[in-house]
Amino acid sequence: MLEFPSWALPTLYVVGTVLGVLVLAFTTGAVVYIRNDAVGVVEKLWALGGSVEEGFLALGGEAGFRPETLRGGFHFFMPLQYRVHRANLVTVPQGSLAYLFARGGQPLPNAQALARWPTGVGVENARAFVSQGGQRGPQRRILREGVYAINTAQFIVFTESATHAVTLGDASDVRAVETMRQLIEERNGFRPLIIRDHEDAVGVVTVHDGPALDHGEIIAPTVGTHAADGATFHNSFQDPETFLAAGGRRGRQEQVLVEGTYYINRLFATIEVRPKTLVEIGNVGVVVSFTGPRGTDVSGSDHKHGELVAQGQRGVWQTPLHPGKYAINPYAVKVSTVPTTNFVLRWIEGRSEAHGFDDNLAEIKLITKDAFEPVLPLSIVVHIGYDDAPWVVQQFADIKKLVEQTLDPMVSAWFKDAAQSRTLIELVNQRAEVQREALAAMSARFAKYRLNVKEVMIGTPRAAKNDTHIDTIFEQLRARQVAREKVETYESQQVAAAKELELRAAEARAAAQGDLTKSAVSIEVAQNHGRAELARKTQEAEATKVMAEATAMRTRTEGRAEADRVAAIGDANAQAAKAQVDAFGGAEMALSKEVAAMLSGAITQAKVPLVPTVAMGGAEGGHGTLVDALVSLLMAQGGLDTLVKQRGKQPETAA
């Protein structure tokens, strides 16, 4: 039999009693130990004041969950009155987010999606949260990196690795918790949004809480972007309460997020990452805004194709975007890229440019004057000015619609009309002329739509499918051209033969170059002798010429001297005759003497009686004198004229 010392029994009794008390204390909940890396959520099982009548937490000592938590150490309670739920501290890793769901608090209004967190209340102060108007449900507030001693009966905390909550045993509560966690994971809500600079992307934000948009609006306006105004600056949607206080609206936001890291509650706002708007060099971006205030149409009353407005207003912006990258919300505006460099539109089936504006264009089907039906490939070089791009978009929405709905039928109609005034051969031969006419016509017509035509290029008309007539015509033209080429070839060959003869002659001359040189020298010697003889003969001729000129000069001098002598003698004779006339009584007396002398001669020669047998009466019955009869006789024989001529006087003077 085991025997104990007298002093051991009391000691064992005391130790047993203490152990029993401790076991009883821990078993009945009178003593609770909390690790330093955990918290204790106290649940009061019964109270003289009864249970909680309203709300979730027992704020006044009622039976229920107490708002305060227990930290590390021993804690003492009334046995069998309290239950302590131990939970690990909530740890939010670096670069991660955590979400809160409040079981207790004021109910959410019908139009509110997330619960409002009271200003200045910490997440570990459940009593202040409830007493200062905190709302139950998913919270707008999120947790950043750190360790938190949170009452997980009041707040369910969702971290990336775990869900921290005191299980209530209600299946519906478990399903709600899992549904919320699944939603956060679908939106990648446990990680901050990171937009990297090399991605050239923007974040399009859609807010799921706050007042709804006004009727007719599709994009929420930008608010709270000024950092100097702390009451409204929501720092890119990272502070939901400030965003709503600044007048933010529910829905897709006009403001976008650019490169950076953003800690945004994904239950409050979701983000869609879209590429930035890129306007390549050689293009401009015409902006069509779906939001903003309504502005004044600056296009004028003659244009009814839409509103051309100032930048920031709803409609087509008058000023386009220059080449570059822009952080623009693609849901708020549409940017139509318009090339400002020359681009080609090809009316050629199966062939188009990289811009794709002419994907649906094909050759133009024509009918010529002589009833042929060729198809015409065509290319037009077009340019759109920088300032004209918004006008083009205003009228046609985009360039492809402009090409297909306006330019294609207009160009086709013009070329059909032009083809009907020409035969097929003329259409082929007058291609340059048709191009010039088309350029002038297209320039005028395209200018109405603010398009500049730089060049019109026409291809060779070809036959349509199953059309053999045009090929026959072209064959005949080719045969005709071949005949012409043969003629030119024969002429060229003839010229070549002649050149060959020249070549042969040159070769023969080269072979006989020695003889040619000798003969050339002989010719040159003979030429020198000839030139010497010519010079001698020329000198002799010059001498003869000089002698002849001298003889002629002497003859002329002698003649003039002889003429002067004769003239002097004539003048002397004339003066002598004049003196004799004057001596006989003047010219009339001299004339009478000569007349008498001539009369005497006439009478002698004439065989007529001196006295007429018949007497002639005068003018007045008188008788004519003898002198009158003689004069008449003399005139009948022409003697008087002869006399006058001999005297050198006119008949009137002699009479």
Side-chain angles (χ1 to χ4, degrees):
M1 183 175 178
L2 183 61
E3 295 184 358
F4 294 97
S6 57
W7 56 269
L9 291 176
T11 304
L12 291 175
Y13 178 76
V14 172
V15 172
T17 302
V18 172
L19 291 176
V21 171
L22 291 176
V23 171
L24 181 61
F26 281 101
T27 303
T28 59
V31 178
V32 177
Y33 175 74
I34 305 297
R35 302 189 316 272
N36 289 328
D37 60 349
V39 294
V41 179
V42 180
E43 180 184 4
K44 195 173 186 180
L45 301 178
W46 57 271
L48 297 177
S51 300
V52 176
E53 296 181 357
E54 184 178 1
F56 179 77
L57 296 180
L59 300 178
E62 305 93 339
F65 288 99
R66 294 176 57 182
E68 290 77 20
T69 59
L70 302 180
R71 303 301 298 270
F74 287 96
H75 302 272
F76 301 94
F77 298 93
M78 180 68 69
L80 303 177
Q81 189 178 12
Y82 295 93
R83 180 189 299 164
V84 178
H85 302 270
R86 294 175 179 83
N88 293 328
L89 294 173
V90 176
T91 301
V92 181
Q94 185 177 2
S96 181
L97 305 178
Y99 291 79
L100 297 170
F101 182 92
R103 285 171 168 161
Q106 296 181 1
L108 288 175
N110 292 333
Q112 191 171 327
L114 299 179
R116 181 184 66 254
W117 191 275
T119 304
V121 176
V123 295
E124 298 176 349
N125 193 344
R127 180 180 292 276
F129 173 84
V130 175
S131 61
Q132 295 185 23
Q135 296 173 330
R136 71 186 67 172
Q139 302 295 305
R140 295 170 181 165
R141 180 170 183 174
I142 57 176
L143 300 181
R144 294 285 302 277
E145 300 90 339
V147 179
Y148 302 90
I150 297 177
N151 187 333
T152 53
Q154 165 64 16
F155 299 109
I156 301 174
V157 183
F158 300 89
T159 64
E160 187 174 11
S161 59
T163 299
H164 302 267
V166 173
T167 304
L168 301 180
D170 188 356
S172 61
D173 181 68
V174 174
R175 286 194 300 271
V177 169
E178 292 302 323
T179 300
M180 182 173 173
R181 181 175 186 84
Q182 183 180 0
L183 179 61
I184 297 172
E185 289 177 347
E186 289 176 353
R187 297 178 178 179
N188 195 25
F190 293 112
R191 291 288 177 178
L193 172 68
I194 301 176
I195 301 178
R196 296 173 175 83
D197 52 0
H198 66 273
E199 295 174 341
D200 281 335
V202 296
V204 180
V205 180
T206 301
V207 173
H208 301 281
D209 199 5
L213 291 173
D214 295 335
H215 177 69
E217 297 291 339
I218 62 173
I219 302 293
T222 300
V223 296
T225 58
H226 300 289
D229 188 357
T232 60
F233 181 63
H234 54 82
N235 197 12
S236 299
F237 309 98
Q238 296 182 99
D239 189 344
E241 299 296 345
T242 306
F243 171 80
L244 296 174
R249 298 296 188 93
R250 181 193 310 245
R252 188 174 280 126
Q253 304 295 306
E254 181 182 10
Q255 179 184 356
V256 296
L257 305 178
V258 294
E259 291 81 0
T261 301
Y262 301 91
Y263 295 88
I264 298 176
N265 186 335
R266 300 301 206 286
L267 299 178
F268 175 74
T270 53
I271 296 92
E272 178 185 2
V273 178
R274 297 289 299 273
K276 288 181 180 178
T277 299
L278 176 63
V279 180
E280 298 282 359
I281 296 176
N283 299 270
V284 294
V286 179
V287 179
V288 182
S289 178
F290 308 126
T291 185
R294 293 193 177 276
T296 303
D297 186 5
V298 298
S299 60
S301 58
D302 294 337
H303 295 268
K304 301 298 182 183
H305 303 283
E307 292 189 352
L308 197 65
V309 297
Q311 187 172 357
Q313 297 177 345
R314 182 175 304 186
V316 181
W317 289 2
Q318 181 183 13
T319 303
L321 301 179
H322 292 273
K325 294 179 181 178
Y326 297 89
I328 295 178
N329 189 333
Y331 297 102
V333 299
K334 176 185 177 182
V335 179
S336 297
T337 302
V338 178
T340 54
T341 55
N342 295 346
F343 62 91
V344 181
L345 299 176
R346 299 189 184 277
W347 275 261
I348 303 175
E349 187 173 359
R351 182 178 177 184
S352 62
E353 296 295 315
H355 50 64
F357 300 150
D358 51 1
D359 288 343
N360 299 324
L361 299 182
E363 291 91 344
I364 302 173
K365 297 180 180 180
L366 307 177
I367 300 178
T368 62
K369 185 178 180 180
D370 48 0
F372 287 101
E373 298 183 5
V375 293
L376 182 68
L378 172 69
S379 299
I380 297 181
V381 181
V382 183
H383 173 259
I384 300 177
Y386 168 82
D387 295 331
D388 296 329
W391 294 78
V392 175
V393 173
Q394 179 196 27
Q395 297 179 70
F396 302 99
D398 58 52
I399 305 301
K400 192 166 187 178
K401 289 183 179 179
L402 163 66
V403 173
E404 295 178 356
Q405 298 177 6
T406 302
L407 301 187
D408 184 24
M410 180 176 65
V411 172
S412 299
W414 188 91
F415 278 96
K416 288 179 183 292
D417 294 341
Q420 290 179 351
S421 63
R422 290 177 170 85
T423 64
L424 177 62
I425 303 302
E426 290 174 345
L427 187 63
V428 174
N429 293 338
Q430 298 176 7
R431 175 172 168 270
E433 181 181 349
V434 175
Q435 283 189 162
R436 288 193 297 271
E437 294 177 359
L439 178 60
M442 295 301 105
S443 298
R445 298 189 182 193
F446 280 41
K448 297 179 181 179
Y449 306 103
R450 297 215 171 199
L451 303 175
N452 302 317
V453 177
K454 296 299 183 181
E455 192 64 58
V456 176
M457 296 169 286
I458 302 174
T460 303
R462 63 176 181 83
K465 188 176 182 181
N466 300 325
D467 185 358
T468 60
H469 301 292
I470 296 178
D471 291 337
T472 301
I473 294 296
F474 286 162
E475 249 340 290
Q476 294 174 356
L477 288 176
R478 282 191 288 269
R480 191 181 305 169
Q481 185 62 33
V482 168
R484 293 194 186 98
E485 292 297 330
K486 285 183 178 180
V487 172
E488 293 183 5
T489 301
Y490 296 153
E491 292 177 353
S492 299
Q493 290 176 348
Q494 184 178 2
V495 173
K499 292 296 183 181
E500 185 177 3
L501 290 176
E502 294 179 3
L503 175 62
R504 300 305 180 193
E507 291 176 348
R509 284 195 297 272
Q513 187 62 45
D515 296 336
L516 290 175
T517 303
K518 293 178 181 179
S519 61
V521 171
S522 300
I523 291 172
E524 186 175 357
V525 170
Q527 288 177 347
N528 290 336
H529 287 298
R531 283 194 291 269
E533 184 67 20
L534 177 62
R536 186 177 63 79
K537 295 296 184 180
T538 300
Q539 290 178 355
E540 292 178 355
E542 288 293 333
T544 302
K545 180 179 178 182
V546 171
M547 292 177 65
E549 289 177 352
T551 303
M553 179 64 71
R554 184 182 64 182
T555 302
R556 285 194 298 272
T557 303
E558 292 176 350
R560 283 195 294 270
E562 182 63 21
D564 291 341
R565 184 182 66 80
V566 173
I569 293 173
D571 289 340
N573 291 333
Q575 290 178 2
K578 184 178 183 301
Q580 291 177 1
V581 171
D582 291 340
F584 281 104
E588 291 181 357
M589 180 59 71
L591 178 60
S592 298
K593 286 183 178 183
E594 288 188 13
V595 170
M598 292 175 64
L599 180 58
S600 176
I603 293 173
T604 303
Q605 294 177 0
K607 295 179 178 183
V608 292
L610 181 61
V611 178
T613 58
V614 181
M616 300 296 293
E620 296 180 357
H623 298 285
T625 62
L626 180 60
V627 175
D628 292 334
L630 293 177
V631 171
S632 298
L633 179 61
L634 181 61
M635 292 180 65
Q637 293 183 356
L640 183 59
D641 291 337
T642 302
L643 177 62
V644 172
K645 290 179 180 179
Q646 291 177 353
R647 300 293 296 177
K649 297 182 179 180
Q650 294 296 328
E652 291 82 358
T653 306

